[in-house]
């Protein structure tokens, strides 16, 4: 029994009596809703209505826990950009939860492995994860957002799994999960450290890449999104379909109660479906030409500004709607406090070049929900003119790559680094002041998830990524690192003393500079990845926080620095220095030689 239902909201919406299903496809001639029972038996129902290219239907008595997917009938002509075929079970782009993972079988691809020009009509349902209907109700109690001002913010970049996977004070069943991250032991650590916000590496539902699965590796970082509304299922401690939503909300509520904001690292620039040889999991089979940027000369191929095979088509109104609906969902229903946009310039490429006047920025700035969130850009991508540090509009803060480079050069002794260092240390006014922004537009970082850890930065001159099985060809070549005289671990007390001092130099510079400091989880503990500067596929102790071998002296030093920053407003100014008398002093800033 299928009623006409409504075209909006998109996705599966449970109202207490039944569920409304709605999905966008401009090219479809028919869309089937596929329901799966506990034994994976499939029931197909044709969605009876199409309104403004949104296919929809309402099912009475269908409720939370129901697993489902879509099959789309329509043109399958890759050379024209269309890849619809009903043999492919597709995830709902608006699914609030996903159950299971992709099994890498040839059936999930729309072409034959032996000949990519031949259509693969094998049914993919047995190898696909399923979308799940959820109950949106959650008891938020007296939850209140911390609303920490930007100039008082100290960000801690961390990974949901890696942070607590080896934390002994967290019960074993909760380690590496949303529940583990909000366990009292984890929260006490964060509070004692003094940070005000955690920036979580991707928690949107993502896929482990096919090429990594063949190497028995996995996409640990998670920059391979397939569901922009669903918390990643593997980070749930319960293992029950749909329960990850409740657990994520619990994590946010408990962190808010501790005064800690939650910022999500979001990946709206590409999806896990890859290039023309990638799988057909959702967007490709629904409406390939609407969702992706295709090459104008041959629509079989994808325009790639991300280095991952595809780029979402932000020129499409429906893609912009998807992004904005997702952001609003996480800000309102999941109550997160901000977003860090991976490869943000991709979202501003309406034609080809990065455009500060793009529709994406306009939508963010006028939106009553999103404009109140903390907005952080990773201001570079791999396309032409992709390095955009300092070029984002007001309301936006940016990962300041120039701060990172200048500070690394200065402390490794590059002769020309002093002028750059001085500018970055005082808030990078040359980058942000002309656009009406403040020093806190600069998110200051010395390290990030991508690259050397702080300990490795002072211990290695060269990357050592052999564990990734890519012949050490992956990862950044130019790291601006210095091993202090010996490559890797050493028992030389002088070298180790110098490395300890250098780590403190970096932390002191990071936490006492104007702007917003971002500390990478584990840097305060002396965590090493043994020279691996691209541990994206290392879901193992190499990338997890090593609590047992923590450098407690370095941890105490880091806590002291964060406390010093919080105690003295001069380290977290809201305005740039002007070099003039202020409050009876000679000047608001003065430079001195070591001699005084």
């Amino acid at each position: 029994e299928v009623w006409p239902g409504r075209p909006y909201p998109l996705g599966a919406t449970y109202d207490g009596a039944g569920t409304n299903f709605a999905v966008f496809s401009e090219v479809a001639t028919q869309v089937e809703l596929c329901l799966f029972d506990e034994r994976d038996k499939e029931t197909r129902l044709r969605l009876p209505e199409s309104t403004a290219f949104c296919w929809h239907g309402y099912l009475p008595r269908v409720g939370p826990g129901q697993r489902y997917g879509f099959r789309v009938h329509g043109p399958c002509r890759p050379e024209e950009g269309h890849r619809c075929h009903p043999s492919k079970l597709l995830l709902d782009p608006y699914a609030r939860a996903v159950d299971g993972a992709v099994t890498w079988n040839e059936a999930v691809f729309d072409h034959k492995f032996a000949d990519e020009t031949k259509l693969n009509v094998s049914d993919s349902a047995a190898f696909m994860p399923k979308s799940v209907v959820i109950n949106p109700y959650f008891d938020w109690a007296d939850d209140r957002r911390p609303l920490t001002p930007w100039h008082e913010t100290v960000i801690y970049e961390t990974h949901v799994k890696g942070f607590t996977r080896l934390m002994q004070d967290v019960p074993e069943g909760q380690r590496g999960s949303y529940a583990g991250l909000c366990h009292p032991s984890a929260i006490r650590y964060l509070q004692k450290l003094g940070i005000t916000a955690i920036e979580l590496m991707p928690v949107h539902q993502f896929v482990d890449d096919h090429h990594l699965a063949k190497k028995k590796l996995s996409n640990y970082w998670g920059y391979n999104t397939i569901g922009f509304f669903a918390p990643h299922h593997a980070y749930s401690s319960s293992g029950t379909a749909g329960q990850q939503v409740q657990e994520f909300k619990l994590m946010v509520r408990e962190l808010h109660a501790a005064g800690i904001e939650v910022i999500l690292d979001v990946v709206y620039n590409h999806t896990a479906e890859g290039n023309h040889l990638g799988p057909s999991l959702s967007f490709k089979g629904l409406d390939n030409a609407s969702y992706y940027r295709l090459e104008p000369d041959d629509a079989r191929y994808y325009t790639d500004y991300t280095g991952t095979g595809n780029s979402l088509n932000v020129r499409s109104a429906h893609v912009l709607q998807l992004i904005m609906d997702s952001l609003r969902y996480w800000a309102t229903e999941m109550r997160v406090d901000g977003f860090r946009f991976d490869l943000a310039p991709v979202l501003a490429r309406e034609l080809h070049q990065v455009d500060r006047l793009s529709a994406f920025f306009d939508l963010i700035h006028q939106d009553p929900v999103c404009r109140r969130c903390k907005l952080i850009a990773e201001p570079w991508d791999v396309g032409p003119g992709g390095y955009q540090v300092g070029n984002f509009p007001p309301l936006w803060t940016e990962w300041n790559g120039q701060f990172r480079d200048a500070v690394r050069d200065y402390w490794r002794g590059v002769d020309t680094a002093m002028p750059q260092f001085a500018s970055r240390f005082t808030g990078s006014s040359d980058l942000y002041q002309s656009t009406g922004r403040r020093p806190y537009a600069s998110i200051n970082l010395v390290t990030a998830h991508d690259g050397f850890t702080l300990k490795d930065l002072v211990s290695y001159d060269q990357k050592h990524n052999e564990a990734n099985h890519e012949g050490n060809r992956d990862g950044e070549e130019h790291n601006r690192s210095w091993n202090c005289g010996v490559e890797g671990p050493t028992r030389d007390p002088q070298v180790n003393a110098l490395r300890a001092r250098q780590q403190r130099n970096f932390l002191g510079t990071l936490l006492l500079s104007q702007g917003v400091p971002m500390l990478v989880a584990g840097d305060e503990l002396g965590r090493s990845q043994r020279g691996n500067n691209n541990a994206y596929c290392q879901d193992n102790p190499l990338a997890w926080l090593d609590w047992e071998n923590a450098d407690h002296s370095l941890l105490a030093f880091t806590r002291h620095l964060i406390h010093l920053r919080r105690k003295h407003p001069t380290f977290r100014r809201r305005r740039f220095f002007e070099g003039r008398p202020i409050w009876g002093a000679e000047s608001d800033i003065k430079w001195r030689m070591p001699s005084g």
Side-chain angles (χ1 to χ4, degrees), residues 32-80:
E32 292 178 302
L33 171 67
C34 307
L35 304 180
F36 293 85
D37 65 15
E38 63 278 2
R39 296 181 180 179
D40 256 3
K41 181 182 178 182
E42 180 180 356
T43 300
R44 300 186 190 183
L45 303 166
R46 185 176 65 85
L47 291 179
E49 296 288 335
S50 175
T51 306
F53 303 121
C54 290
W55 299 78
H56 53 93
Y58 181 89
L59 272 68
R61 297 179 297 280
V62 168
Q66 175 65 60
R67 298 184 304 141
Y68 71 98
F70 296 113
R71 294 183 187 271
V72 174
H73 299 256
C76 188
R77 296 187 292 271
E79 67 280 2
E80 298 177 13

Coordinates of all heavy atoms in Angstrom, one line a residue, residues 32-80:
E32 N 11.8 2.8 -8.0 CA 11.2 1.8 -7.2 C 11.8 1.9 -5.8 O 13.1 2.1 -5.6 CB 11.5 0.4 -7.7 CG 10.8 0.0 -9.0 CD 11.2 -1.3 -9.5 OE1 12.4 -1.6 -9.7 OE2 10.3 -2.2 -9.6
L33 N 11.0 1.8 -4.7 CA 11.4 1.8 -3.4 C 11.5 0.3 -3.0 O 10.6 -0.5 -3.2 CB 10.4 2.5 -2.5 CG 10.6 2.3 -0.9 CD1 11.9 3.0 -0.5 CD2 9.4 2.8 -0.2
C34 N 12.7 -0.1 -2.5 CA 13.0 -1.5 -2.1 C 13.1 -1.6 -0.6 O 14.0 -1.0 0.0 CB 14.3 -1.9 -2.8 SG 14.3 -1.6 -4.6
L35 N 12.2 -2.4 0.0 CA 12.2 -2.7 1.4 C 12.8 -4.0 1.7 O 12.5 -5.0 1.0 CB 10.8 -2.6 1.9 CG 10.0 -1.3 1.7 CD1 8.6 -1.4 2.3 CD2 10.7 -0.1 2.2
F36 N 13.6 -4.1 2.7 CA 14.3 -5.3 3.1 C 13.9 -5.8 4.5 O 13.9 -4.9 5.4 CB 15.8 -5.2 3.0 CG 16.3 -4.9 1.6 CD1 16.3 -3.6 1.1 CD2 16.8 -6.0 0.8 CE1 16.8 -3.4 -0.2 CE2 17.2 -5.8 -0.5 CZ 17.2 -4.5 -1.0
D37 N 13.6 -7.0 4.7 CA 13.3 -7.5 6.0 C 14.5 -8.0 6.7 O 15.6 -7.9 6.2 CB 12.2 -8.6 5.9 CG 12.6 -9.9 5.2 OD1 13.9 -10.1 5.0 OD2 11.8 -10.7 4.8
E38 N 14.4 -8.7 7.9 CA 15.5 -9.1 8.6 C 16.3 -10.2 8.0 O 17.5 -10.4 8.3 CB 15.1 -9.5 10.0 CG 14.1 -10.8 10.1 CD 12.7 -10.4 9.8 OE1 12.4 -9.2 9.6 OE2 11.8 -11.3 9.9
R39 N 15.7 -10.9 7.0 CA 16.4 -11.9 6.2 C 16.9 -11.4 4.9 O 17.3 -12.2 4.1 CB 15.5 -13.1 6.0 CG 15.1 -13.8 7.3 CD 14.2 -15.0 7.1 NE 13.8 -15.7 8.3 CZ 13.1 -16.8 8.4 NH1 12.6 -17.3 7.2 NH2 12.7 -17.3 9.5
D40 N 16.8 -10.1 4.7 CA 17.3 -9.5 3.4 C 16.4 -9.8 2.3 O 16.8 -9.6 1.1 CB 18.7 -9.8 3.1 CG 19.7 -8.7 3.4 OD1 19.2 -7.6 3.9 OD2 20.9 -8.8 3.1
K41 N 15.1 -10.3 2.5 CA 14.2 -10.5 1.4 C 13.7 -9.1 1.0 O 13.3 -8.3 1.8 CB 13.0 -11.3 1.9 CG 12.0 -11.6 0.8 CD 10.8 -12.4 1.3 CE 9.7 -12.6 0.2 NZ 8.5 -13.3 0.7
E42 N 13.7 -8.9 -0.3 CA 13.4 -7.6 -0.9 C 11.9 -7.5 -1.4 O 11.4 -8.4 -2.1 CB 14.3 -7.3 -2.0 CG 14.1 -6.0 -2.7 CD 15.1 -5.7 -3.9 OE1 16.0 -6.6 -4.1 OE2 15.0 -4.7 -4.6
T43 N 11.3 -6.4 -1.1 CA 10.0 -6.1 -1.6 C 10.1 -4.7 -2.4 O 10.5 -3.7 -1.9 CB 8.9 -5.9 -0.5 OG1 8.8 -7.1 0.2 CG2 7.5 -5.6 -1.1
R44 N 9.7 -4.8 -3.7 CA 9.8 -3.6 -4.5 C 8.4 -2.9 -4.7 O 7.4 -3.6 -5.0 CB 10.4 -3.9 -5.9 CG 11.7 -4.5 -5.8 CD 12.3 -4.7 -7.2 NE 13.5 -5.5 -7.2 CZ 14.3 -5.8 -8.3 NH1 13.9 -5.3 -9.5 NH2 15.3 -6.5 -8.2
L45 N 8.4 -1.6 -4.5 CA 7.2 -0.8 -4.6 C 7.5 0.4 -5.5 O 8.5 1.1 -5.3 CB 6.7 -0.3 -3.3 CG 6.4 -1.4 -2.2 CD1 6.3 -0.8 -0.8 CD2 5.2 -2.2 -2.6
R46 N 6.7 0.7 -6.5 CA 6.9 1.8 -7.4 C 6.4 3.1 -6.7 O 5.3 3.2 -6.1 CB 6.1 1.6 -8.7 CG 6.4 2.7 -9.7 CD 5.6 2.4 -11.0 NE 4.2 2.4 -10.8 CZ 3.4 3.6 -10.9 NH1 4.0 4.7 -11.1 NH2 2.1 3.5 -10.7
L47 N 7.3 4.1 -6.6 CA 6.9 5.4 -6.1 C 5.9 6.0 -7.0 O 6.2 6.2 -8.2 CB 8.1 6.3 -5.9 CG 9.1 5.9 -4.7 CD1 10.2 6.9 -4.6 CD2 8.3 5.8 -3.4
P48 N 4.7 6.4 -6.6 CA 3.6 6.7 -7.5 C 3.6 8.1 -8.0 O 3.0 8.4 -9.0 CB 2.4 6.5 -6.6 CG 2.8 6.8 -5.3 CD 4.2 6.3 -5.2
E49 N 4.4 9.0 -7.4 CA 4.3 10.4 -7.8 C 5.7 11.0 -8.1 O 6.7 10.6 -7.5 CB 3.6 11.3 -6.7 CG 2.2 10.9 -6.4 CD 1.2 11.3 -7.4 OE1 1.6 12.3 -8.2 OE2 0.2 10.7 -7.6
S50 N 5.7 12.0 -9.0 CA 6.9 12.8 -9.3 C 6.5 14.2 -9.4 O 5.7 14.6 -10.2 CB 7.5 12.3 -10.6 OG 8.6 13.1 -10.9
T51 N 7.1 15.0 -8.5 CA 6.8 16.5 -8.4 C 8.1 17.2 -8.5 O 8.9 17.1 -7.6 CB 6.1 16.8 -7.1 OG1 4.9 16.0 -6.9 CG2 5.7 18.3 -7.0
A52 N 8.2 18.0 -9.5 CA 9.5 18.8 -9.7 C 10.7 17.9 -9.6 O 11.7 18.3 -9.0 CB 9.5 20.0 -8.7
F53 N 10.6 16.8 -10.3 CA 11.7 15.8 -10.4 C 12.0 15.1 -9.0 O 13.0 14.4 -8.9 CB 13.0 16.4 -10.9 CG 12.9 17.1 -12.2 CD1 13.1 18.5 -12.4 CD2 12.4 16.4 -13.3 CE1 13.0 19.1 -13.6 CE2 12.3 17.0 -14.6 CZ 12.5 18.3 -14.7
C54 N 11.1 15.2 -8.1 CA 11.2 14.5 -6.8 C 10.2 13.4 -6.8 O 9.0 13.7 -6.9 CB 11.0 15.4 -5.6 SG 12.4 16.6 -5.4
W55 N 10.7 12.1 -6.7 CA 9.8 11.0 -6.7 C 9.4 10.7 -5.3 O 10.3 10.6 -4.4 CB 10.5 9.8 -7.4 CG 10.9 10.1 -8.8 CD1 11.9 10.8 -9.3 CD2 10.1 9.6 -9.9 NE1 11.9 10.8 -10.6 CE2 10.8 10.1 -11.1 CE3 9.0 8.8 -10.1 CZ2 10.4 9.8 -12.4 CZ3 8.6 8.5 -11.4 CH2 9.3 9.0 -12.5
H56 N 8.1 10.4 -5.0 CA 7.7 10.3 -3.6 C 6.5 9.4 -3.4 O 5.8 9.1 -4.4 CB 7.4 11.7 -3.0 CG 6.4 12.5 -3.8 ND1 5.1 12.5 -3.6 CD2 6.6 13.3 -4.9 CE1 4.5 13.3 -4.4 NE2 5.4 13.8 -5.2
G57 N 6.4 8.9 -2.2 CA 5.3 8.0 -1.8 C 5.3 7.8 -0.3 O 6.3 8.0 0.4
Y58 N 4.1 7.5 0.3 CA 4.0 7.4 1.7 C 3.5 6.0 2.0 O 2.6 5.5 1.4 CB 3.0 8.4 2.2 CG 2.7 8.3 3.7 CD1 3.5 9.0 4.6 CD2 1.7 7.5 4.3 CE1 3.3 9.0 6.0 CE2 1.5 7.4 5.6 CZ 2.3 8.2 6.5 OH 2.1 8.1 7.9
L59 N 4.2 5.3 3.0 CA 3.8 3.9 3.4 C 3.3 3.9 4.8 O 4.1 4.1 5.8 CB 5.0 3.0 3.3 CG 5.2 2.3 1.9 CD1 5.6 3.4 0.8 CD2 6.3 1.3 2.0
P60 N 2.0 3.7 5.0 CA 1.5 3.6 6.4 C 2.1 2.4 7.1 O 2.5 1.4 6.4 CB 0.0 3.4 6.2 CG -0.3 3.8 4.8 CD 1.0 3.5 4.0
R61 N 2.3 2.5 8.4 CA 2.8 1.4 9.2 C 4.2 1.0 9.0 O 4.7 0.0 9.6 CB 1.9 0.1 9.1 CG 0.5 0.4 9.6 CD -0.4 -0.8 9.4 NE -0.5 -1.2 8.0 CZ -1.4 -0.6 7.2 NH1 -2.1 0.4 7.5 NH2 -1.5 -1.1 5.9
V62 N 5.0 1.7 8.1 CA 6.4 1.5 8.0 C 7.1 2.5 8.9 O 6.8 3.7 8.8 CB 6.8 1.7 6.5 CG1 8.4 1.7 6.4 CG2 6.3 0.5 5.7
G63 N 8.0 2.0 9.8 CA 8.6 2.9 10.8 C 10.0 2.7 11.0 O 10.8 2.0 10.2
P64 N 10.6 3.2 12.1 CA 12.0 3.1 12.4 C 12.6 1.7 12.4 O 11.9 0.7 12.8 CB 12.1 3.7 13.9 CG 10.9 4.6 13.9 CD 9.8 3.9 13.2
G65 N 13.7 1.6 11.9 CA 14.4 0.3 11.7 C 14.2 -0.3 10.4 O 15.0 -1.3 10.0
Q66 N 13.3 0.2 9.6 CA 13.1 -0.4 8.3 C 14.3 -0.1 7.4 O 14.7 1.1 7.2 CB 11.8 0.2 7.6 CG 11.5 -0.2 6.2 CD 11.3 -1.7 6.0 OE1 10.4 -2.2 6.6 NE2 12.1 -2.4 5.3
R67 N 14.8 -1.1 6.7 CA 16.0 -0.9 5.8 C 15.4 -0.8 4.4 O 14.5 -1.5 4.0 CB 16.9 -2.1 5.9 CG 17.6 -2.2 7.3 CD 18.6 -3.3 7.4 NE 18.0 -4.6 7.0 CZ 18.7 -5.5 6.3 NH1 19.9 -5.2 5.9 NH2 18.1 -6.6 6.0
Y68 N 16.0 0.1 3.6 CA 15.5 0.3 2.3 C 16.6 0.8 1.3 O 17.7 1.1 1.7 CB 14.3 1.3 2.3 CG 14.8 2.8 2.7 CD1 15.0 3.7 1.6 CD2 15.1 3.2 4.0 CE1 15.4 5.0 1.9 CE2 15.5 4.4 4.2 CZ 15.6 5.4 3.2 OH 16.1 6.6 3.5
G69 N 16.2 0.9 0.0 CA 17.1 1.5 -1.0 C 16.2 1.8 -2.2 O 15.0 1.7 -2.1
F70 N 16.8 2.3 -3.2 CA 16.1 2.7 -4.5 C 16.7 2.0 -5.7 O 17.8 1.7 -5.7 CB 16.1 4.2 -4.7 CG 15.5 5.0 -3.6 CD1 16.3 5.8 -2.8 CD2 14.1 5.0 -3.5 CE1 15.7 6.6 -1.8 CE2 13.5 5.7 -2.5 CZ 14.3 6.6 -1.7
R71 N 15.8 1.7 -6.6 CA 16.2 1.3 -8.0 C 15.6 2.3 -9.0 O 14.4 2.6 -8.9 CB 15.7 -0.2 -8.3 CG 16.4 -1.2 -7.4 CD 15.9 -2.6 -7.8 NE 16.4 -3.6 -6.9 CZ 17.5 -4.3 -7.0 NH1 18.3 -4.0 -8.0 NH2 17.9 -5.2 -6.1
V72 N 16.4 2.7 -9.9 CA 16.1 3.8 -10.8 C 16.0 3.3 -12.2 O 17.0 2.7 -12.7 CB 17.0 5.0 -10.7 CG1 16.7 6.1 -11.7 CG2 16.9 5.6 -9.3
H73 N 14.9 3.5 -12.9 CA 14.8 3.2 -14.3 C 15.0 4.5 -15.1 O 14.5 5.5 -14.7 CB 13.4 2.6 -14.6 CG 13.1 1.3 -13.9 ND1 13.1 0.1 -14.6 CD2 12.7 1.1 -12.6 CE1 12.7 -0.8 -13.7 NE2 12.5 -0.3 -12.5
G74 N 15.8 4.4 -16.2 CA 16.1 5.6 -16.9 C 17.2 5.3 -17.9 O 17.6 4.2 -18.1
P75 N 17.7 6.4 -18.6 CA 18.7 6.2 -19.6 C 20.1 5.7 -19.0 O 20.5 6.1 -17.9 CB 18.9 7.6 -20.2 CG 18.4 8.5 -19.1 CD 17.3 7.8 -18.4
C76 N 20.7 4.8 -19.6 CA 22.0 4.3 -19.3 C 22.9 4.4 -20.5 O 23.2 3.5 -21.2 CB 22.0 2.8 -18.8 SG 23.5 2.2 -18.1
R77 N 23.4 5.7 -20.7 CA 24.3 6.0 -21.8 C 25.4 6.8 -21.2 O 25.4 8.1 -21.2 CB 23.5 6.8 -22.8 CG 22.4 6.0 -23.5 CD 21.8 6.8 -24.7 NE 21.0 7.9 -24.2 CZ 19.8 7.9 -23.8 NH1 19.1 6.8 -23.8 NH2 19.2 9.0 -23.4
P78 N 26.5 6.1 -20.7 CA 27.6 6.9 -20.0 C 28.2 7.9 -20.9 O 28.6 9.0 -20.4 CB 28.6 5.7 -19.7 CG 27.8 4.5 -19.6 CD 26.7 4.7 -20.6
E79 N 28.3 7.7 -22.2 CA 28.9 8.7 -23.1 C 28.1 10.0 -23.1 O 28.6 11.1 -23.4 CB 29.0 8.2 -24.5 CG 27.7 8.0 -25.2 CD 27.0 6.6 -24.9 OE1 27.6 5.9 -24.0 OE2 26.0 6.3 -25.5
E80 N 26.8 10.0 -22.7 CA 26.0 11.2 -22.5 C 25.8 11.6 -21.1 O 25.1 12.6 -20.8 CB 24.6 10.9 -23.1 CG 24.6 10.6 -24.6 CD 23.2 10.2 -25.1 OE1 22.2 10.5 -24.4 OE2 23.1 9.7 -26.3

